[in-house]
Amino acid sequence: MTEGELLQENGTTFGNGEVRLSNGSLGNDKHNKQAKVVAAGACGSRDRPVSLEMREPPDGGTRAWLIVISSFFCNGIIFGVINTYSVIYLRLQEELKMRGDPEASSKSALVGSLTIGATFLLSPVAGILTDKIGLRQTAILGGILTSSGLLFSSFVTHNINALYLTYGIMYGFGAALTYTPSLSILGHYFRRYLGKVNGFVTAGSSVFTAIMPFLINWLITSYGLSTALRVEAGISSLIIICALLYAPLVSKQPQQQMRTDQSPTRKTIQTLVNVDNWKKKRYVIWALSIPVALFGYFVPYVHMSKFITVAFTGKDINLPVMCLGIASGVGRLTFGVIADLPRINRILLQQVSFCFIGVMTMFLPITSTYSLLLLFVLAMGLFDGCFISLIGPISFDICGPKGASQAIGFLLGLCSFPLTLGPPIAGMLYDHTGSYTLPFILAGIPPLVGATTMFLIRCVKDEVVGTEMHDKDSVQHPLAKSAWDEERPFDDKKFCNGRVPHTLERKASLASAESLNDVINT
């Protein structure tokens, strides 16, 4: 049978089988985009029909945009609190010094370190919970933990050990449970504008980080630390309200069929973890390359103020940090738009961002003027926003909506180690050398290495798992496979003697995949 016989116009007979399209209001009603493909014996097998019913993300609508706004506030509140800990740190440090504690600085810093560490390290748990109990329930639980952790902290401000648990672990765990769903939900409602909405949502942290320090500082000065923490608890409770909107369009993944001869440990892992993600070579390479790149990524953020006091005595130590935050917010919005342009490869764009971050980090210690330093910092912040805004879209590109939650969660979990280890190592190098030249030059190497290893993604090809094609969830929502470098609407083992009809096989960049409806009609 020739390709011309296989594919004809307007849903007419395909050789010995047929393909019928039912697009329920695909014209102007974006909220009801549906496509149904029924293929009966595309290669001469009439008695084995396969029905594919699909719903595409609406790419708009009242609920979709409300979810974007809700995710914006969730991101802003989470990282607004985390990034403004320096204000609370100063008050805790003063109180501990007044009590004569010789380790006042390290103990106060540990509270904030536990918060950011728990947020990233526990993100895999958030991904698993998202798949097991749902996006909405996970985010609501996160909102409860964050607000409760801050509220409890307001009653134990004089007990640093208790703050390790309430402000550090409890708030950090709640932030993890909130952050992953806030990115995952976007891919269920957006596809064409996924980059734009991710850029807007992640820019929330920049906006809140710019506003909250002034609020928290005023509250601490006027009413005390306990009142400031209670106000933060009230703000964090808004996460619960925002999370009520998180209703995914993709149904829960059915239980996988497991072999009876498997060990209990393996059965438990397969029950909790989406193992299909780790069968995707592209995801494995990407998820390992990002942590490598981030080993030196956080060094300038931590050591910038100290570097200014050493290299540019008398200059404003807060301005470069402020420029980093503002430029990062602009970068998230700008590159979110760029990522949605036709034929833009999002992974390549992220590689470019790492290259610029690495080079700019290396340039910091050799800058001769303060103005040139600010220019490098602005460039670094711009591409930092590019990297962050692409985490969600690339996760959906590679793993689809069914696997995106755990893809994001496990990636953030892996990132917790380099983000935690990089700055202390740079600090030890500074203590031994008395200069930031070596620490910053070495910190610029990992982003370049990570960007280079990501080229391996172009050298591998993910195989479509046969059972996936009969999974109701993946059948109804082809986004999981059409994103996606290659889309195979039929099981290649059951059609055409192991070969997918060439007319129905499409290859595209990760950034510019088209819908199955477009494929059938081309």
Side-chain angles (χ1 to χ4, degrees):
M1 179 179 57
T2 65
E3 293 176 1
E5 293 174 316
L6 177 66
L7 184 58
Q8 299 177 9
E9 285 184 294
N10 302 323
T12 54
T13 302
F14 286 40
N16 293 329
E18 68 171 12
V19 173
R20 297 195 302 272
L21 296 180
S22 174
N23 294 355
S25 303
L26 276 176
N28 297 323
D29 188 357
K30 292 185 178 180
H31 311 292
N32 297 315
K33 281 188 176 181
Q34 293 186 349
K36 186 176 182 180
V37 178
V38 178
C43 295
S45 178
R46 289 181 178 271
D47 56 342
R48 288 192 299 180
V50 177
S51 179
L52 305 178
E53 187 173 348
M54 308 155 193
R55 284 179 62 197
E56 293 184 357
D59 272 317
T62 302
R63 187 183 190 90
W65 292 115
L66 285 175
I67 285 174
V68 171
I69 295 173
S70 298
S71 295
F72 173 88
F73 276 96
C74 286
N75 271 260
I77 292 169
I78 291 168
F79 289 102
V81 172
I82 291 175
N83 294 339
T84 57
Y85 175 73
S86 58
V87 181
I88 296 175
Y89 164 81
L90 292 175
R91 176 54 64 93
L92 288 178
Q93 185 187 42
E94 289 175 4
E95 291 186 1
L96 289 176
K97 282 184 176 180
M98 290 175 61
R99 295 182 220 154
D101 194 326
E103 299 177 342
S105 297
S106 60
K107 287 184 177 180
S108 301
L110 183 57
V111 177
S113 298
L114 285 173
T115 305
I116 189 67
T119 300
F120 285 94
L121 186 62
L122 297 176
S123 289
V125 179
I128 293 172
L129 283 178
T130 295
D131 284 349
K132 295 304 175 185
I133 66 176
L135 286 162
R136 177 190 292 166
Q137 290 83 348
T138 303
I140 290 175
L141 179 59
I144 293 172
L145 285 174
T146 54
S147 56
S148 299
L150 291 171
L151 182 62
F152 293 158
S153 297
S154 69
F155 295 102
V156 293
T157 54
H158 299 293
N159 186 340
I160 194 69
N161 293 321
L163 287 174
Y164 293 152
L165 175 62
T166 57
Y167 195 103
I169 303 300
M170 195 170 178
Y171 181 86
F173 188 27
L177 296 183
T178 303
Y179 182 53
T180 299
S182 73
L183 296 183
S184 301
I185 190 63
L186 300 177
H188 293 275
Y189 284 84
F190 293 91
R191 176 172 171 182
R192 182 183 304 175
Y193 307 123
L194 186 57
K196 295 183 183 69
V197 296
N198 268 273
F200 176 78
V201 165
T202 54
S205 61
S206 299
V207 174
F208 275 73
T209 300
I211 297 173
M212 288 190 67
F214 300 100
L215 173 64
I216 301 305
N217 188 54
W218 175 73
L219 287 171
I220 291 177
T221 304
S222 304
Y223 302 100
L225 179 58
S226 296
T227 301
L229 289 172
R230 286 166 194 159
V231 171
E232 282 191 328
I235 294 173
S236 297
S237 66
L238 294 176
I239 293 174
I240 301 172
I241 299 174
C242 293
L244 293 174
L245 290 169
Y246 291 0
L249 296 180
V250 178
S251 58
K252 288 185 179 180
Q253 182 179 359
Q255 293 291 330
Q256 297 179 354
Q257 295 293 331
M258 292 180 290
R259 292 164 48 188
T260 56
D261 58 344
Q262 290 179 337
S263 65
T265 303
R266 186 165 183 174
K267 288 181 179 179
T268 303
I269 293 174
Q270 290 191 352
T271 301
L272 297 176
V273 179
N274 187 338
V275 294
D276 287 340
N277 281 354
W278 298 100
K279 294 177 182 177
K280 300 179 189 294
K281 301 181 185 70
R282 289 184 176 92
Y283 175 71
V284 172
I285 295 172
W286 183 63
L288 295 179
S289 298
I290 298 295
V292 170
L294 295 187
F295 198 88
Y297 162 85
F298 209 49
V299 170
Y301 286 84
V302 174
H303 294 277
M304 181 62 71
S305 296
K306 179 66 175 177
F307 170 67
I308 299 299
T309 60
V310 173
F312 300 95
T313 307
K315 298 294 183 179
D316 189 348
I317 64 174
N318 295 318
L319 184 58
V321 178
M322 186 182 299
C323 288
L324 267 174
I326 294 174
S328 180
V330 173
R332 297 175 197 199
L333 295 172
T334 303
F335 285 100
V337 174
I338 294 174
D340 284 339
L341 295 177
R343 301 189 181 281
I344 291 294
N345 189 311
R346 289 167 175 163
I347 289 181
L348 183 60
L349 195 60
Q350 197 170 59
Q351 288 176 271
V352 172
S353 71
F354 279 133
C355 288
F356 269 91
I357 290 172
V359 172
M360 293 300 105
T361 302
M362 290 179 171
F363 281 172
L364 291 179
I366 61 175
T367 51
S368 57
T369 65
Y370 187 70
S371 299
L372 187 60
L373 174 73
L374 293 179
L375 182 62
F376 289 154
V377 166
L378 287 171
M380 186 187 305
L382 194 68
F383 285 97
D384 165 75
C386 173
F387 151 66
I388 292 175
S389 67
L390 291 175
I391 292 177
I394 292 176
S395 297
F396 274 86
D397 286 347
I398 298 177
C399 300
K402 188 173 66 176
S405 296
Q406 289 202 26
I408 295 172
F410 277 91
L411 173 67
L412 296 177
L414 290 172
C415 290
S416 65
F417 298 102
L419 289 175
T420 304
L421 295 175
I425 292 176
M428 288 189 293
L429 289 173
Y430 172 76
D431 291 338
H432 283 82
T433 62
S435 169
Y436 273 109
T437 301
L438 181 61
F440 277 2
I441 289 178
L442 292 179
I445 295 176
L448 298 176
V449 174
T452 303
T453 58
M454 287 170 69
F455 276 113
L456 295 174
I457 296 174
R458 304 171 67 89
C459 303
V460 299
K461 183 177 180 181
D462 290 327
E463 297 294 333
V464 177
V465 182
T467 55
E468 281 186 350
M469 302 310 297
H470 301 286
D471 186 319
K472 180 179 178 182
D473 181 59
S474 60
V475 164
Q476 288 183 337
H477 307 279
L479 190 62
K481 298 176 182 60
S482 65
W484 344 182
D485 286 273
E486 186 177 53
E487 180 179 357
R488 298 181 179 180
F490 300 104
D491 187 338
D492 54 3
K493 292 183 179 180
K494 292 192 175 182
F495 290 89
C496 301
N497 297 321
R499 293 182 64 253
V500 179
H502 179 70
T503 313
L504 298 179
E505 183 174 328
R506 174 178 57 79
K507 293 183 179 180
S509 72
L510 284 172
S512 59
E514 302 293 336
S515 67
L516 182 60
N517 183 54
D518 295 328
V519 175
I520 296 298
N521 286 283
T522 54

